[in-house]
Amino acid sequence: MSRCLISQKEVQTFIERCMTAVGTQPHHARSLAEVLVEGDRRGHYSHGLNRMDMYVKDIQMGICAKDGEPVVEKETVATALVDGKNLLGPVVGNFCMDLAIKKAKEAGIGWVVARGSNHYGIAGYYAMQALKENMIGMSFTNTSPLVVPTRAKEYHRYADDMQLYVSFHPHKPDKLLVLHD
């Protein structure tokens, strides 16, 4: 049995080209490509390149907006409500996590929520961004009703995902490292 390996860069470039071909802004296509490649790299194949067709169709059918940027609707020094403007989920997810990190640096905590977003790939991708800043990162999401509770006849529950990443200096063994994925 032979294996064909493709570099991460080639896959990322392929995703970016597919998304820009349907009218997605190049930096939005890049945001999507990065999270899909990371999904595959981390072994979450259902949220990697496998999902690209869904994103292409969402843009083609107008389910997701291809132009614009998320907007902060309300905020305090440590919190914000973001309108994702129905953009690709990774665009909104990155915007929110960048804002949460900025607020956490200034106020000690950053709590940002979004509405008007779409599927955003693996939740851990966003939580891990805080690790790069030596912070605790949390990322939560939900989706349309997909789960039929035990003994029920209809979908009632939402599929939820939660990621928590905590890290301290790697050379201090007395510090706890917690990764929940």
Side-chain angles (χ1 to χ4, degrees), residues 105-179:
K105 285 179 178 180
E106 294 171 0
I109 187 170
W111 195 267
V112 179
V113 297
R115 63 178 176 179
S117 185
N118 291 283
H119 191 278
Y120 79 153
I122 59 170
Y125 177 80
Y126 308 96
M128 288 185 300
Q129 290 177 20
L131 290 180
K132 295 174 188 170
E133 301 297 328
N134 213 17
M135 296 178 174
I136 296 171
M138 293 186 283
S139 180
F140 306 87
T141 190
N142 74 316
T143 185
S144 304
L146 296 172
V147 179
V148 178
T150 304
R151 294 185 274 300
K153 294 180 181 177
E154 297 178 9
Y155 299 114
H156 289 285
R157 293 183 44 214
Y158 293 84
D160 298 319
D161 195 9
M162 177 186 94
Q163 303 301 314
L164 169 65
Y165 289 80
V166 180
S167 177
F168 297 106
H169 197 283
H171 302 295
K172 296 181 181 177
D174 60 327
K175 301 297 182 184
L176 180 64
L177 173 66
V178 176
L179 301 175

Side-chain angles (χ1 to χ4, degrees), residues 31 69-75 78-85 87-105 109-118 120 123 125-127 129-130 135-141:
S31 290
E69 298 298 328
V71 174
V72 176
E73 289 190 332
K74 296 180 185 178
E75 70 180 317
T79 67
L81 169 63
V82 172
D83 179 355
K85 299 293 187 185
L87 293 162
L88 291 167
V91 173
V92 180
N94 284 327
F95 181 90
C96 289
M97 186 51 84
D98 290 346
L99 182 57
I101 289 169
K102 178 180 179 271
K103 288 182 173 294
K105 285 179 178 180
I109 187 170
W111 195 267
V112 179
V113 297
R115 63 178 176 179
S117 185
N118 291 283
Y120 79 153
Y125 177 80
Y126 308 96
Q129 290 177 20
M135 296 178 174
I136 296 171
M138 293 186 283
S139 180
F140 306 87
T141 190

Side-chain angles (χ1 to χ4, degrees), residues 22-88:
V22 294
T24 304
Q25 294 179 43
H27 66 286
H28 289 192
R30 189 174 319 105
S31 290
L32 174 64
E34 288 170 357
V35 75
L36 293 183
V37 168
E38 185 66 13
D40 279 339
R41 195 186 72 75
R42 294 182 53 81
H44 299 286
Y45 304 114
S46 64
H47 284 65
L49 179 59
N50 189 43
R51 285 256 179 197
M52 191 195 61
D53 184 55
M54 176 196 80
Y55 288 105
V56 167
K57 287 179 180 173
D58 284 354
I59 292 293
Q60 288 175 323
M61 295 171 47
I63 293 170
C64 289
K66 56 186 174 183
D67 296 310
E69 298 298 328
V71 174
V72 176
E73 289 190 332
K74 296 180 185 178
E75 70 180 317
T76 68
V77 68
T79 67
L81 169 63
V82 172
D83 179 355
K85 299 293 187 185
N86 201 35
L87 293 162
L88 291 167

